[in-house]
Amino acid sequence: MPIRTRVAALAALTAAALTAAALAVGAAATAQAGAAPGGTAQKNASAQKNASAQKNASAPKKAAAPKFLAASELPPHPTGWTAGPVTDGFPEQLAYCLGEGVPAYDYRHRLFHTELDTSAVQVTVVTGSAAKGKALADRLNKEIRTCAARLERLYPEIEAEGRFFGTLPVEEGATVHGLHTETSYGATDVNLLSVGRDGRTVTVVGWGQMGDFDDAPLAAFKKTAKKAVTKLY
């Protein structure tokens, strides 16, 4: 083979080899470039998943709603008690003493009744903190203590007497009150009320029927009032 022809052949082979090498390098670079975004995406997805898991693990669980009394936990009655459903709002059954003095909170309540004239109610509220719970309990106790005087002032035909029956050693404490009313036409009613607190949660129990203080089951009501607080959580 002439030298010129051999040189030309070598040049052609060299050019072909260089072209192949270049193509190989380009393919490898393209493969690496194509692999990089996918790897980054997987890495980012994994990081987001881990962050989400950590956030869910550290997020506080929603507190359980406070529990209400059952009919069997009220003072015994010859006909037995029937419990209504737990309902949102402040009960009108306590408005005679607390209706205008209750701060705005999300209250829940349950009504109870017998086949005769005896009835009961429980209202519960979860405030924003233990300090707010204490302030609310203090406010409710004050409203109940002054209830008899307010009733006589608002309704001249009513004579009312309030009594304080002491405190109960349960959680952050509970107080027990009594109220007797008599109208000018002879109707008499007696009511027992308690205010109890467990941390930021406050509960009020009311019981009432026709009669006077001698007809009120004070000892049994104190057990109910204590149970209302211990049962909250």
Side-chain angles (χ1 to χ4, degrees):
M1 177 183 293
I3 294 178
R4 186 185 306 175
T5 304
R6 187 168 61 238
V7 172
L10 290 173
L13 290 173
T14 302
L18 291 174
T19 301
L23 290 174
V25 172
T30 301
Q32 291 177 356
T40 302
Q42 291 177 355
K43 185 177 180 181
N44 291 340
S46 178
Q48 292 175 356
K49 184 177 180 180
N50 291 336
S52 177
Q54 291 176 356
K55 181 178 180 181
N56 292 335
S58 62
K61 295 182 179 179
K62 185 177 181 181
K67 296 181 177 64
F68 281 74
L69 290 167
S72 60
E73 294 166 329
L74 294 174
H77 191 275
T79 69
W81 289 93
T82 299
V86 176
T87 307
D88 291 336
F90 191 85
E92 63 180 11
Q93 286 77 6
L94 293 177
Y96 67 95
C97 265
L98 301 175
E100 296 182 359
V102 175
Y105 279 111
D106 292 329
Y107 297 92
R108 302 171 74 224
H109 69 275
R110 167 175 273 180
L111 302 179
F112 305 85
H113 70 272
T114 66
E115 294 180 8
L116 299 178
D117 64 322
T118 308
S119 61
V121 59
Q122 181 185 10
V123 59
T124 297
V125 57
V126 181
T127 66
S129 65
K132 290 182 178 179
K134 182 180 184 304
L136 177 59
D138 291 344
R139 173 73 176 272
L140 295 175
N141 278 307
K142 179 180 178 181
E143 294 293 325
I144 294 174
R145 286 195 304 268
T146 59
C147 182
R150 283 184 284 113
L151 287 175
E152 288 187 339
R153 185 172 66 251
L154 293 173
Y155 307 100
E157 72 278 10
I158 290 180
E159 291 185 3
E161 178 189 359
R163 294 184 183 180
F164 178 63
F165 292 119
T167 61
L168 301 175
V170 54
E171 299 300 340
E172 276 67 56
T175 55
V176 180
H177 308 262
L179 176 70
H180 176 254
T181 59
E182 183 175 359
T183 66
S184 57
Y185 50 86
T188 63
D189 292 281
V190 61
N191 292 271
L192 298 175
L193 301 108
S194 69
V195 179
R197 182 171 71 90
D198 183 354
R200 61 177 184 155
T201 302
V202 178
T203 187
V204 178
V205 180
W207 172 98
Q209 70 175 28
M210 294 177 61
D212 56 29
F213 285 121
D214 292 336
D215 301 309
L218 181 58
F221 181 79
K222 285 184 176 182
K223 292 181 180 179
T224 295
K226 189 173 182 179
K227 183 65 175 181
V229 179
T230 60
K231 190 177 181 179
L232 288 172
Y233 299 105

